[in-house]
Amino acid sequence: MPTFIVLLGPPGVGKGTQAELIAEATGLPHISSGDLFRENIKNTTELGKLAQAYMNKGELVPDDVTISMIRSRLSRPDCKEGALLDGFPRTTVQADSLANLLTEFNGKVNFVPYITASESTLIERLSGRWTCKAQGHIFHEKHNPPHKPGVCDFDASELYQRDDDKAETVKRRIQVYLTQTAPLITYYRQLGLLSEIDGTQPIEKVTEALMAVLGKIA
Ligand code: AMP
């Protein structure tokens, strides 16, 4: 049976950073819907053009478009053993679709670690975040700085600040999270899959807590 993990939590809580570490430890592919959209924007695809309009405003890309993008990503052979989903699902419609989709792959959502932090922590984290142009590796100028400012430790590409990490858009993204994504907390709790993790701890502690939740597969 494949293993599917849904990493849940507000924007800026550290999902991307943790997903990279957990993917490395478990060997599961890290699938970030935001990264997939950004890749499409970089390659100026039709999907990228459509997504950009929503992303720049901090709004969600429509469900049908997002679901079909994830469906095609999960159909790739590297997801045979499962995947680590970061940023998807973000609505209950997406969560229902994911459940249906995974039955096609003889799988289901196995774990939902939910990483938490206060709103002021999220704003501070997002405004200090630097992202690598080549592969989306994530740094923070204070909490997780690169060895050389402005340069990715992993592939030496340039670091940039995402447009949607600017103050006004950040506030909207948090609002969108609270109204559209937070209902997933109850959704997955009712299914007995949710494990809450304090995201204000140092990065290594959050990873340890995550690995403890995923203990059965790591
Ligand atoms: P992220 O990198 O996860 O913070 O996502 C950046 C932006 O991409 C979000 O603010 C949305 O505009 C869009 N996005 C990412 N994942 C989804 C999703 N599952 N559903 C709708 N929009 C998404």
Side-chain angles (χ1 to χ4, degrees):
M1 267 271 273
T3 303
F4 292 94
I5 303 163
V6 167
L7 212 47
L8 203 60
V13 82
K15 294 191 299 297
T17 302
Q18 293 299 332
E20 282 171 17
L21 297 165
I22 298 297
E24 203 174 87
T26 59
L28 292 173
H30 168 202
I31 298 180
S32 153
S33 42
D35 281 353
L36 291 173
F37 285 132
R38 281 183 288 278
E39 219 172 278
N40 275 280
I41 291 172
K42 201 159 82 179
N43 298 328
T44 52
T45 66
E46 285 307 310
L47 172 61
K49 281 183 221 162
L50 181 129
Q52 187 159 35
Y54 292 94
M55 290 169 78
N56 285 349
K57 289 185 282 187
E59 304 293 336
L60 295 186
V61 179
D63 283 333
D64 54 343
V65 181
T66 306
I67 291 162
S68 86
M69 176 180 76
I70 291 291
R71 167 187 281 278
S72 75
R73 178 64 188 87
L74 285 174
S75 305
R76 286 182 20 199
D78 64 333
C79 296
K80 222 171 60 198
E81 301 299 323
L84 175 55
L85 292 164
D86 158 19
F88 182 91
R90 256 177 160 94
T91 64
T92 48
V93 171
Q94 292 180 13
D96 285 339
S97 299
L98 177 65
N100 290 331
L101 188 57
L102 293 185
T103 57
E104 291 175 30
F105 300 115
N106 294 319
K108 61 184 176 74
V109 174
N110 300 93
F111 301 97
V112 184
Y114 163 44
I115 313 179
T116 62
S118 70
E119 191 166 327
S120 57
T121 303
L122 302 176
I123 292 173
E124 197 261 342
R125 294 248 183 106
L126 289 168
S127 57
R129 178 158 83 173
W130 290 84
T131 305
C132 130
K133 268 199 176 150
Q135 296 185 69
H137 295 117
I138 302 160
F139 299 88
H140 188 279
E141 55 195 28
K142 215 162 80 193
H143 309 299
N144 182 25
H147 292 309
K148 194 170 158 202
V151 180
C152 177
D153 286 355
F154 302 100
D155 55 30
S157 78
E158 192 187 332
L159 301 180
Y160 75 107
Q161 202 165 24
R162 277 170 45 178
D163 280 343
D164 61 349
D165 282 348
K166 311 262 156 77
E168 272 322 297
T169 318
V170 160
K171 285 194 188 130
R172 179 65 193 144
R173 284 165 66 203
I174 293 173
Q175 215 173 36
V176 165
Y177 167 80
L178 292 173
T179 53
Q180 301 191 58
T181 307
L184 293 182
I185 299 163
T186 311
Y187 180 105
Y188 285 118
R189 186 178 283 133
Q190 280 171 351
L191 292 173
L193 295 172
L194 201 82
S195 312
E196 204 162 321
I197 292 169
D198 174 7
T200 61
Q201 306 173 86
I203 292 176
E204 322 74 74
K205 292 279 170 209
V206 176
T207 311
E208 268 173 36
L210 273 164
M211 292 310 280
V213 167
L214 308 176
K216 286 163 240 158
I217 59 155

